[in-house]
């Protein structure tokens, strides 16, 4: 990862849980023994820091797993449980019959996504809120992590997130708070809650133009402008940009193995403002669909299988990361659109002219009239183009 140029690691939940995805937490303070231990995790954090990498954790505070101490106490003691008000319970007992016989659409308690195993937590309850805030503090202060990604953040109340930010900033002043919100997130981005959100609107725009070819270059320009202009500048500069995640199909699957499409999508991602993210295995071109009960997109890394490691993509992404670090204009929101038609997209980031060709032909001619004065800028005798990067 260091050789690739990575500067930050984002972990999906590592806490003790019943499932492979671990979004059904049993114990927030314990690393799942299948992964290692708290001592080993702290060693990993220290090693990452020594290599210049920050570490971000996944905060699953909207719901908890049914195997947790808190929920099991409610199951056993009903309304007499000291944790009864930690959840949104309509009627006791919470499990009137065997759990395996319950219908997620008709339960005596609120859940995440109608999933029986994930009861929703009541963060308005003071004891529940203080418990979760202490969890957040522990992983930042005691384990020296650098930030939190907030799972289904839009389903947790604003008061809790304000307390959350105060707690995190007190533990580490430069910690990063990232919300998972798939729609407009302005109510959470006014300075007192999150630093940024996962930029799925930009993901959709990139996929529809570069991968699926459902939109024109001009339509993509409008979509990119909308995504990058949705929030204040300081938020846009930190927005978490991605092509794929544990919640989506792999970009290689959507592109049906077309490497040219995937390369172009990554090229735009790394020349756009914000924080570009590579989902584990994306640098090797891992394929896999999400859905139908088989989460192929979440498969383990093929560390010991070179045949599944597409090194062409790895070296391409390494070049992109290197170029991004050299051209600081890429991390800024400022962009000058020059031309956009059906397939060709031309724009400038600082002094760099970027041309994307989404047509079938790999080679094409840029008419000087197409880019107007900017073409003249590139051809003036007193202007030296030090490097021509062809991706």
């Amino acid at each position: 990862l260091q050789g690739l140029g990575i500067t930050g690691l984002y972990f999906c939940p590592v806490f003790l849980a019943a499932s492979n995805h671990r979004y059904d937490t049993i114990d927030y303070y314990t690393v799942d023994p299948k992964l290692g231990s708290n001592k080993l995790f702290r060693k990993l954090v220290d090693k990452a820091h020594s290599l210049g990498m920050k570490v971000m954790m996944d905060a699953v505070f909207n719901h908890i797993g049914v195997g947790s101490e808190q929920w099991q106490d409610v199951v056993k003691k009903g309304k007499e449980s000291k944790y009864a008000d930690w959840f949104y319970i309509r009627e006791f007992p919470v499990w009137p019959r065997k759990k395996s016989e319950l219908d997620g659409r008709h339960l005596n308690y609120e859940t995440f996504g109608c999933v029986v195993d994930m009861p929703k937590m009541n963060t308005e309850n003071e004891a529940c809120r203080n418990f979760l805030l202490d969890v957040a503090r522990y992983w930042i202060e005691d384990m020296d992590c650098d930030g939190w990604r907030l799972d289904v953040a839009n389903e947790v109340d604003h008061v809790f997130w304000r307390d959350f930010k105060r707690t995190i900033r007190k533990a580490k002043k430069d910690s990063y708070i990232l919300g998972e919100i798939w729609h407009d997130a302005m109510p959470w981005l006014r300075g007192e809650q999150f630093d940024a959100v996962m930029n799925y609107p930009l993901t959709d725009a990139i996929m529809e133009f570069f991968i699926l070819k459902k939109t024109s270059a001009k339509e993509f320009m409008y979509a990119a402008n909308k995504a990058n202009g949705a929030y204040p500048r300081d938020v846009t500069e930190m927005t978490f940009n991605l092509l794929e995640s544990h919640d989506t199909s792999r970009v290689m699957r959507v592109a049906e193995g077309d490497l040219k499409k995937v390369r172009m999508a990554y090229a735009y991602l790394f020349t756009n403002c914000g924080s570009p993210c590579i989902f584990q295995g994306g640098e090797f071109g891992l394929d896999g669909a999400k859905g139908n009960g088989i989460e192929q997109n979440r498969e383990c890394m093929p560390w010991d299988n070179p045949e599944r490691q597409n090194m062409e993509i790895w070296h391409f992404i390494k070049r992109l990361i290197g170029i991004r670090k050299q051209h600081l204009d890429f991390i800024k929101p400022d962009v000058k659109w020059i031309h956009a038609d059906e397939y060709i997209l031309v724009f400038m980031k600082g002094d760099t002219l970027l041309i994307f060709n989404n047509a079938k032909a790999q080679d094409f001619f840029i008419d000087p009239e197409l880019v107007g004065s900017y073409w003249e800028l590139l051809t003036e005798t007193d202007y030296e183009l030090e490097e021509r990067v062809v991706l």
Side-chain angles (χ1 to χ4, degrees), residues 73-322:
D73 195 73
V74 173
V75 171
K76 296 173 183 177
K77 300 179 182 178
K79 62 182 179 181
E80 301 303 321
S81 170
K82 64 178 181 180
Y83 301 112
D85 195 41
W86 283 38
F87 305 94
Y88 293 96
I89 299 172
R90 304 189 189 94
E91 188 178 345
F92 292 98
V94 288
W95 289 348
R97 51 190 179 279
K98 293 180 180 180
K99 182 170 74 72
S100 60
E101 299 175 355
L102 297 176
D103 180 354
R105 297 166 298 177
H106 303 91
L107 295 171
N108 289 346
Y109 56 97
E110 292 288 338
T111 68
F112 165 71
C114 298
V115 179
V116 175
D117 292 332
M118 297 182 184
K120 182 176 173 62
M121 303 190 78
N122 176 16
T123 51
E124 294 181 9
N125 174 275
E126 184 177 3
C128 177
R129 183 170 62 251
N130 290 339
F131 168 77
L132 294 175
L133 292 176
D134 188 68
V135 169
R137 181 210 57 77
Y138 170 79
W139 290 94
I140 296 292
E141 201 168 78
D142 293 42
M143 301 298 279
D144 202 23
C145 293
D146 304 288
W148 283 101
R149 178 264 191 185
L150 313 175
D151 188 56
V152 286
N154 57 298
E155 296 186 19
V156 179
D157 70 276
H158 292 280
V159 173
F160 175 80
W161 290 134
R162 293 187 184 100
D163 289 342
F164 179 90
K165 182 168 186 177
R166 283 191 288 268
T167 300
I168 297 307
R169 285 292 194 269
K170 185 177 180 181
K172 183 173 288 191
K173 292 181 180 180
D174 63 347
S175 54
Y176 181 54
I177 302 175
L178 173 72
E180 183 210 12
I181 298 179
W182 293 58
H183 52 76
D184 176 58
M186 195 61 234
W188 291 267
L189 296 169
R190 293 171 177 167
E192 82 283 16
Q193 295 178 68
F194 308 162
D195 297 313
V197 290
M198 300 178 80
N199 199 357
Y200 279 110
L202 182 65
T203 304
D204 293 340
I206 293 174
M207 298 298 282
E208 290 184 0
F209 175 58
F210 291 111
I211 305 298
L212 298 173
K213 296 193 175 185
K214 288 184 176 180
T215 58
S216 67
K218 190 172 185 179
E219 290 171 321
F220 172 77
M221 176 184 69
Y222 293 142
N225 273 343
K226 183 177 181 180
N228 290 330
Y231 306 120
R233 183 186 180 94
D234 59 337
V235 173
T236 303
E237 290 178 342
M238 291 192 288
T239 299
F240 194 81
N241 299 331
L242 63 164
L243 299 182
E244 55 187 9
S245 74
H246 63 284
D247 284 324
T248 71
S249 291
R250 293 279 187 172
V251 63
M252 188 64 75
R253 171 57 60 92
V254 182
E256 298 181 335
D258 190 325
L259 187 55
K260 181 175 180 289
K261 290 181 179 180
V262 174
R263 285 164 61 103
M264 200 176 306
Y266 272 116
Y268 181 82
L269 186 75
F270 278 91
T271 55
N272 188 65
C273 61
S275 300
C277 175
I278 306 165
F279 181 41
Q280 65 95 6
E283 71 274 25
F284 287 144
L286 285 196
D287 194 348
K290 175 180 173 59
N292 300 322
I294 303 176
E295 303 297 337
Q296 295 175 329
N297 61 319
R298 297 181 180 182
E299 71 166 315
C300 296
M301 282 285 285
W303 294 116
D304 302 319
N305 187 354
E307 293 182 359
R308 302 220 33 225
Q309 300 174 13
N310 188 324
M311 295 308 295
E312 181 181 349
I313 297 179
W314 193 92
H315 285 291
F316 179 71
I317 291 179
K318 180 179 180 178
R319 288 190 65 215
L320 286 175
I321 293 174

Side-chain angles (χ1 to χ4, degrees), residues 7-20:
T7 56
L9 305 177
Y10 153 43
F11 286 94
C12 286
V14 299
F15 314 127
L16 178 64
S19 68
N20 186 53

